């Protein structure tokens, strides 16, 4: 059985200091989601924007951002994993990579990964629709 893998890696960007990297074991497709921290002094303001397929399918959603939901990292990770992430981000200046297992998550990571893969497809469809509209307008 091929397992999905999950890890958090540092990115050293001011507003997005780390990334959640998930790899689908079957399709070998990797998804990377930024972990945002707009207030570098606020250790508790770590969040991700996750794709919500239900939002995306609701009528009137024209903009990709409307299909994203914000989740605080302390709602996604267990307390131990969250504290480990905070420590890696705020207590050290070194590059880090933090491997995660399913037990490090409060919500099932497979669902997050599946939604993000759906989101990637939806984004590609939106892009090709926009290209098609531009092409139609030029004609």
């Amino acid at each position: 059985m091929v397992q999905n893998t999950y890890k958090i890696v540092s990115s050293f960007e001011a507003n997005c200091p780390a990334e959640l990297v998930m790899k689908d074991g079957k399709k070998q497709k990797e998804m990377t989601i930024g972990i945002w921290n707009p207030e570098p002094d606020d250790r508790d303001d770590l969040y991700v924007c996750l794709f919500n397929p239900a939002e995306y399918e609701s009528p009137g959603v024209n903009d990709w951002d409307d299909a994203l939901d914000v989740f605080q990292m302390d709602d996604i990770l267990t307390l131990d994993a969250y504290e480990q992430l905070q420590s890696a981000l705020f207590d050290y200046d070194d590059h880090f990579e933090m491997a995660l297992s399913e037990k490090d998550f409060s919500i099932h990571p497979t669902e997050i990964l599946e939604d993000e893969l759906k989101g990637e497809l939806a984004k590609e469809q939106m892009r090709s629709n926009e290209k098609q509209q531009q092409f139609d307008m030029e004609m």
Side-chain angles (χ1 to χ4, degrees):
M1 167 91 190
V2 186
Q3 293 274 307
N4 297 341
T5 59
Y6 309 96
K7 64 184 176 182
I8 294 177
V9 294
S10 51
S11 66
F12 292 115
E13 287 180 37
N15 292 341
C16 184
E19 295 171 331
L20 173 60
V21 181
M22 304 179 289
K23 188 169 185 182
D24 182 309
K26 284 191 212 108
K27 299 180 186 123
Q28 290 296 304
K29 188 158 172 59
E30 199 170 84
M31 298 299 305
T32 301
I33 301 168
I35 298 176
W36 297 92
N37 178 23
E39 302 278 330
D41 299 334
D42 187 352
R43 291 175 70 110
D44 293 317
D45 193 18
L46 297 171
Y47 66 90
V48 288
C49 298
L50 300 177
F51 180 73
N52 179 339
E55 282 295 318
Y56 178 71
E57 286 157 14
S58 67
V61 173
N62 302 321
D63 190 5
W64 175 251
D65 295 338
D66 293 344
L68 298 176
D69 285 340
V70 173
F71 285 89
Q72 294 298 127
M73 284 307 291
D74 59 352
D75 291 334
I76 291 181
L77 298 174
T78 61
L79 184 61
D80 284 351
Y82 182 67
E83 287 175 348
Q84 199 182 340
L85 169 63
Q86 284 179 309
S87 178
L89 280 178
F90 298 107
D91 300 337
Y92 305 101
D93 288 332
D94 303 330
H95 175 74
F96 72 89
E97 187 168 305
M98 189 174 134
L100 298 170
S101 67
E102 293 197 356
K103 67 178 181 12
D104 293 319
F105 288 85
S106 306
I107 52 182
H108 209 289
T110 309
E111 287 176 30
I112 299 173
L113 179 55
E114 285 170 1
D115 285 350
E116 290 303 313
L117 289 168
K118 286 178 194 164
E120 195 63 24
L121 282 174
K123 197 186 257 183
E124 285 168 20
Q125 283 175 328
M126 261 186 175
R127 278 199 207 111
S128 64
N129 289 348
E130 283 168 15
K131 282 187 186 132
Q132 186 59 48
Q133 285 169 347
Q134 285 171 341
F135 180 76
D136 293 346
M137 285 185 198
E138 288 165 10
M139 295 307 283

